[in-house]
Amino acid sequence: MKIRDHIANAIKENKTEFSFEILPPLKGQNINTIFDNIDLLMEFKPPFIDVTYHREEYVYHELPNGLLEKKVVRKRPGTVGICAALQNKYNVDAVPHVLCGGFTKEDTENFLIDLDFLGIENVLALRGDAVKSETYYKPNKGGNTYAQDLVEQIVDLNKGQYLDPDLQNSSATDFCIGVAGYPEKHLEAPSIESDIHFLKKKLEAGSCYVVTQLFFDNQKYFDFVAKCRAAGITKPIIPGLKPLATMKQLNMIPQRFSVDMPDALVKEVIKCKTPQDVRQVGVEWCIEQSKELKASGVPILHYYSMGKSDNIRQIAEAIF
Ligand code: FAD
């Protein structure tokens, strides 16, 4: 089923549904590590599960002569396989993330063909970040530059238009496309207005819904939605939430995701004596966020599990 229909059903029934995002395991780990985490969450009946995509990284090995050898590695492959496994094992809709970065348009087309053949009918279309060792994002030669370009390619495929113009009577795909939105603005955007301007373009290109970057202050989400509506964006904007889980994340999350940590949360975390206390503060904060968002009538609450689901389960028990 399409995510747009899951959202429409939740709105019609005046419900808030639970969904979450998982990461493929690190290369060398077993898929059961993923299943064990998902098993803990399935009783909350997620209509869909997102699976992130992790592009290549460069690692450098020192050679005996002192020179460095550059190697390209993918530490978390398996997005497509996990999506297919989830749909088979749990009968739930899987939403693979599809990136511009690291892909030529030809690679993208072949990736989408695999998804289509596997019966996967939803994707989240993203630009991706810079490769870890580089400062700025660079599109691949022959690849899509922005998420909007990727949405356009998927929409073309949904019309049966492949890259090869000579293909005759081609079969059309039927993907429902989601995109990312940033309540506190994307880190590269010069202003929130410009970011919303380009978000609107992604939606006008044919995507159906938005999932937000994580945030810890609901007011940022409410303000963002109000600005999007004022700019003429009418499509659903699903809030993305992540419970703070470690002391280290107090510094890492604002830097990595360009989001603010509310003072009240920081004060509570600093008071903690053990890692378990920090995790519990994160859970309680996220429960309060979830309650307020649910009361505001959002159709879906989407949680970033980062591969660990015990804290997400605690939140789901309190909310769903
Ligand atoms: P875009 O929409 O292309 O925007 C990127 C920047 O360019 C923004 O500043 C925007 O304002 C600007 N912009 C957009 N269009 C134009 C234009 N035409 N001209 C000029 N400027 C423009 N990353 C991963 O690697 N794997 C994942 O699985 C993943 N999942 C994510 C899931 C969610 C819900 C979110 C919020 C993010 C996720 N990311 C993931 C991170 C994402 O790839 C980065 O945030 C990336 O830097 C931006 O992606 P985007 O799709 O929002 O980009």
Side-chain angles (χ1 to χ4, degrees):
M1 190 165 145
K2 305 278 188 282
I3 304 308
R4 62 169 174 265
D5 296 327
H6 286 302
I7 297 172
N9 284 349
I11 293 172
K12 202 166 97 196
E13 291 169 23
N14 206 12
K15 278 202 317 207
T16 301
E17 302 267 29
F18 163 75
S19 75
F20 62 96
E21 172 188 295
I22 58 162
L23 277 63
L26 283 166
K27 192 180 271 189
Q29 284 183 1
N30 193 293
I31 195 168
N32 288 326
T33 57
I34 296 289
F35 293 153
D36 290 347
N37 277 292
I38 294 176
D39 287 345
L40 285 174
L41 300 176
M42 289 315 286
E43 72 176 84
F44 305 104
K45 301 195 171 33
F48 61 91
I49 301 172
D50 275 50
V51 184
T52 55
Y53 190 92
H54 298 259
R55 63 175 300 184
E56 75 282 9
E57 292 175 33
Y58 302 142
V59 290
Y60 294 88
H61 293 291
E62 192 169 348
L63 299 172
N65 61 8
L67 292 175
L68 292 176
E69 183 188 42
K70 178 176 163 184
K71 276 204 166 163
V72 181
V73 293
R74 279 193 58 216
K75 293 188 176 164
R76 293 182 185 271
T79 301
V80 176
I82 291 172
C83 285
L86 290 185
Q87 296 211 152
N88 277 325
K89 184 173 162 71
Y90 298 102
N91 198 19
V92 65
D93 285 306
V95 185
H97 292 187
V98 184
L99 302 186
C100 303
F103 282 71
T104 63
K105 287 189 187 178
E106 184 77 23
D107 295 335
T108 302
E109 186 171 275
N110 295 336
F111 188 85
L112 292 166
I113 289 169
D114 275 341
L115 297 179
D116 184 47
F117 287 174
L118 286 165
I120 293 164
E121 46 182 350
N122 299 286
V123 290
L124 193 75
L126 299 147
R127 188 197 70 177
D129 285 318
V131 178
K132 272 198 181 128
S133 49
E134 294 182 347
T135 315
Y136 300 107
Y137 165 83
K138 275 197 285 227
N140 258 48
K141 198 162 175 260
N144 290 303
T145 304
Y146 293 108
Q148 180 192 336
D149 308 315
L150 174 58
V151 172
E152 284 166 7
Q153 184 179 2
I154 303 168
V155 167
D156 280 349
L157 214 59
N158 280 351
K159 294 181 194 148
Q161 289 167 11
Y162 288 69
L163 294 170
D164 179 352
D166 295 333
L167 282 183
Q168 299 287 320
N169 303 319
S170 311
S171 164
T173 57
D174 188 16
F175 290 109
C176 168
I177 311 164
V179 289
Y182 301 82
E184 297 177 61
K185 145 183 135 44
H186 182 254
L187 74 170
E188 293 163 30
S191 69
I192 187 81
E193 285 72 25
S194 126
D195 210 20
I196 289 174
H197 167 84
F198 288 119
L199 174 61
K200 192 172 176 206
K201 296 248 178 247
K202 286 195 279 197
L203 291 161
E204 286 168 349
S207 51
C208 301
Y209 70 99
V210 180
V211 183
T212 77
Q213 182 59 282
L214 55 91
F215 56 90
F216 294 92
D217 176 356
N218 284 352
Q219 198 52 48
K220 308 260 184 188
Y221 169 81
F222 295 132
D223 292 347
F224 174 66
V225 174
K227 281 187 178 152
C228 288
R229 299 299 178 230
I233 291 174
T234 53
K235 293 188 176 154
I237 303 175
I238 297 175
L241 295 176
K242 184 201 138 30
L244 189 92
T246 63
M247 186 70 90
K248 210 169 130 197
Q249 288 178 353
L250 265 192
N251 300 316
M252 186 276 279
I253 289 179
Q255 189 196 10
R256 175 137 174 237
F257 298 103
S258 193
V259 300
D260 281 344
M261 287 281 176
D263 286 344
L265 174 60
V266 176
K267 277 187 190 143
E268 284 306 309
V269 174
I270 288 174
K271 274 195 246 157
C272 291
K273 301 237 176 340
T274 66
Q276 289 75 10
D277 293 346
V278 177
R279 215 168 165 78
Q280 192 53 31
V281 166
V283 165
E284 282 162 19
W285 188 273
C286 194
I287 288 176
E288 290 312 309
Q289 279 193 278
S290 305
K291 280 184 182 162
E292 190 182 25
L293 290 162
K294 190 178 176 193
S296 78
V298 297
I300 313 273
L301 279 169
H302 187 71
Y303 295 90
Y304 297 109
S305 80
M306 307 286 198
K308 296 259 170 62
S309 55
D310 59 318
N311 51 357
I312 307 291
R313 186 183 162 87
Q314 253 185 290
I315 297 158
E317 277 171 344
I319 303 294
F320 299 98

